[in-house]
Amino acid sequence: MRKYSRKKKEITVEDYVSGIKSGDRTMLARAITLVESHTNRHFTVAQQVIEQLGSVKTNSIRIGITGVPGAGKSTFIDSFGTYLCELGYRVAVLAVDPSSEVSKGSILGDKTRMERLSNNPRAFIRPSPSSGTLGGVNRKTRETIFLCEAAGFNIILIETVGVGQGEFVVRSMVDFFLLLVLTGAGDELQTMKKGIMELPDLVVVNKADGDNVSKAKQAMREYNTILHFLRPYTEGWTTKAVTASALEETGLIKIYKEIEQFIHMTRNNGIFEKRRTEQLKEWFDSSLKDKLYAQFFYDEKMKESLLQYEKLIIDGEKTVGNSVNELISLFLNKKE
């Protein structure tokens, strides 16, 4: 007897839009996968979904969380995110895993490190590979933020790969920026870029528990001394350091109150809205560059030309500068 396989129903733009608006986490996850895809067909559908969701008004807060290796970012987000859910918020976590430069693969283990939050019905966790993107964020993080907000998540937590100059990229995506550190500020600062200390709106000395409490308080005082001599990233706001323990869930209320006070201040003085406008401009700029990059490097004929020019350069028959100009001219003429 012949078996007939049912053809899987293709998800339409309307399906994505209605599913996201209703808060369907499965449909949201599928839409994010669509957005992250490199194929032209998926890009077209994804943009149609985003365009139809464009009228959705949200009252969200975007929080970037970064920190030195071992600072306990995932454990902190698990505790803090759970606390926010208990307050009545719907929390989306965009956790970016570093991609290997060798295998191009990524572990994507954030859900296992955020066990409580991943099982919370008011939370959504999306691990994505950084794919080598500067700043420890995925190339489509801005679109993912938008989709999560459209699905009704009113606090977006963005966990980044780690500390570095590229954290300016994350700073440009969020309303509030939190830096997670450990005890031993003096030694630790030697491993940090000076610029990172000028970015956060709050510094949290984590793992302030057990025998480490006194050390954490000392580190907090050292960081507050350092921050006193630095110009705050947000005008009118005094960046400070506080202690917390993600393990014992202490200090979370203080952190929330700091964020609440910050959002209230920036909404009143116009900084919040100004930043959101700048975020839209950054989104447009990065999307334009991403599209141009994709059109150039994923075009089959351009791939062939690139290989040919690479060989000519290696053989010494072409210079790098002239090769670049000729390839761009070739690409532009091809598009006419």
Side-chain angles (χ1 to χ4, degrees):
M1 185 175 178
R2 181 181 294 178
K3 291 183 179 180
Y4 294 92
S5 60
R6 285 186 180 179
K7 189 176 181 181
K8 194 174 180 180
K9 180 180 176 290
E10 187 173 348
I11 303 172
T12 65
V13 171
E14 290 70 26
D15 291 333
Y16 281 116
V17 173
S18 61
I20 290 169
K21 284 184 175 180
S22 66
D24 186 327
R25 293 190 293 181
T26 301
M27 194 60 76
L28 172 61
R30 289 180 175 178
I32 293 170
T33 299
L34 195 74
V35 160
E36 291 178 343
S37 173
H38 285 281
T39 66
N40 285 329
R41 182 172 66 87
H42 289 164
F43 176 84
T44 301
V45 176
Q47 296 315 305
Q48 289 174 354
V49 171
I50 289 172
E51 188 171 358
Q52 289 197 27
L53 288 169
S55 59
V56 177
K57 300 296 181 183
T58 65
N59 194 31
S60 65
I61 301 170
R62 302 168 184 172
I63 303 171
I65 299 176
T66 191
V68 296
K73 293 190 292 292
S74 296
T75 305
F76 173 79
I77 291 172
D78 190 42
S79 295
F80 189 53
T82 300
Y83 170 72
L84 292 171
C85 288
E86 290 170 356
L87 290 178
Y89 291 103
R90 295 189 68 209
V91 179
V93 179
L94 309 183
V96 183
D97 269 296
S99 299
S100 168
E101 289 300 315
V102 179
S103 66
K104 304 303 179 185
S106 185
I107 299 171
L108 300 179
D110 290 279
K111 280 197 173 184
T112 62
R113 297 194 296 269
M114 303 178 193
E115 189 174 352
R116 282 187 306 159
L117 198 56
S118 63
N119 292 319
N120 194 310
R122 300 190 66 83
F124 172 78
I125 300 175
R126 175 68 182 201
S128 299
S130 63
S131 303
T133 305
L134 185 66
V137 290
N138 180 267
R139 50 184 277 277
K140 292 294 183 179
T141 298
R142 289 180 177 88
E143 282 87 340
T144 304
I145 291 171
F146 174 83
L147 291 173
C148 288
E149 290 173 344
F153 292 95
N154 44 16
I155 289 192
I156 315 296
L157 302 178
I158 304 172
E159 179 197 5
T160 70
V161 173
V163 175
Q165 288 178 324
E167 298 303 290
F168 281 96
V169 178
V170 184
R171 172 79 260 193
S172 70
M173 294 181 183
V174 298
D175 309 309
F176 187 91
F177 196 58
L178 186 152
L179 172 64
L180 212 62
V181 298
L182 295 169
T183 56
D187 294 335
E188 192 173 302
L189 279 171
Q190 298 303 316
T191 64
M192 271 193 211
K193 301 285 186 184
K194 182 194 170 187
I196 190 65
M197 290 303 297
E198 297 171 341
L199 295 181
D201 299 304
L202 183 68
V203 175
V204 177
V205 182
N206 194 23
K207 303 186 180 181
D209 43 53
D211 297 334
N212 208 37
V213 173
S214 60
K215 290 181 181 178
K217 288 181 178 179
Q218 177 59 30
M220 178 189 72
R221 289 190 287 269
E222 291 176 7
Y223 274 106
N224 276 322
T225 300
I226 294 163
L227 290 167
H228 178 74
F229 293 102
L230 295 176
R231 181 180 178 182
Y233 187 86
T234 303
E235 186 180 348
W237 177 257
T238 301
T239 303
K240 65 180 72 170
V242 298
T243 60
S245 169
L247 190 65
E248 296 184 353
E249 299 185 6
T250 57
L252 302 182
I253 297 174
K254 173 68 174 173
I255 293 167
Y256 171 72
K257 292 295 182 183
E258 286 291 326
I259 295 172
E260 192 177 45
Q261 184 181 345
F262 176 90
I263 297 300
H264 178 74
M265 185 204 81
T266 53
R267 278 183 171 154
N268 282 343
N269 63 17
I271 289 177
F272 187 92
E273 194 60 37
K274 181 183 177 183
R275 279 192 179 159
R276 284 299 177 95
T277 300
E278 290 170 351
Q279 287 168 19
L280 276 174
K281 290 177 181 178
E282 290 278 352
W283 182 1
F284 171 69
D285 184 60
S286 65
S287 295
L288 182 60
K289 289 175 182 176
D290 189 56
K291 184 63 177 176
L292 288 171
Y293 181 94
Q295 283 197 343
F296 186 91
F297 285 99
Y298 290 98
D299 183 279
E300 291 303 321
K301 289 186 177 179
M302 291 312 300
K303 283 182 181 179
E304 292 176 12
S305 298
L306 279 167
L307 290 173
Q308 292 170 5
Y309 271 86
E310 282 176 2
K311 188 177 185 306
L312 290 170
I313 291 169
I314 291 168
D315 292 341
E317 296 180 29
K318 285 277 187 183
T319 64
V320 171
N322 282 335
S323 297
V324 169
N325 287 334
E326 288 175 19
L327 279 167
I328 290 174
S329 295
L330 184 67
F331 176 70
L332 293 174
N333 290 331
K334 178 181 170 294
K335 292 295 175 184
E336 289 180 356

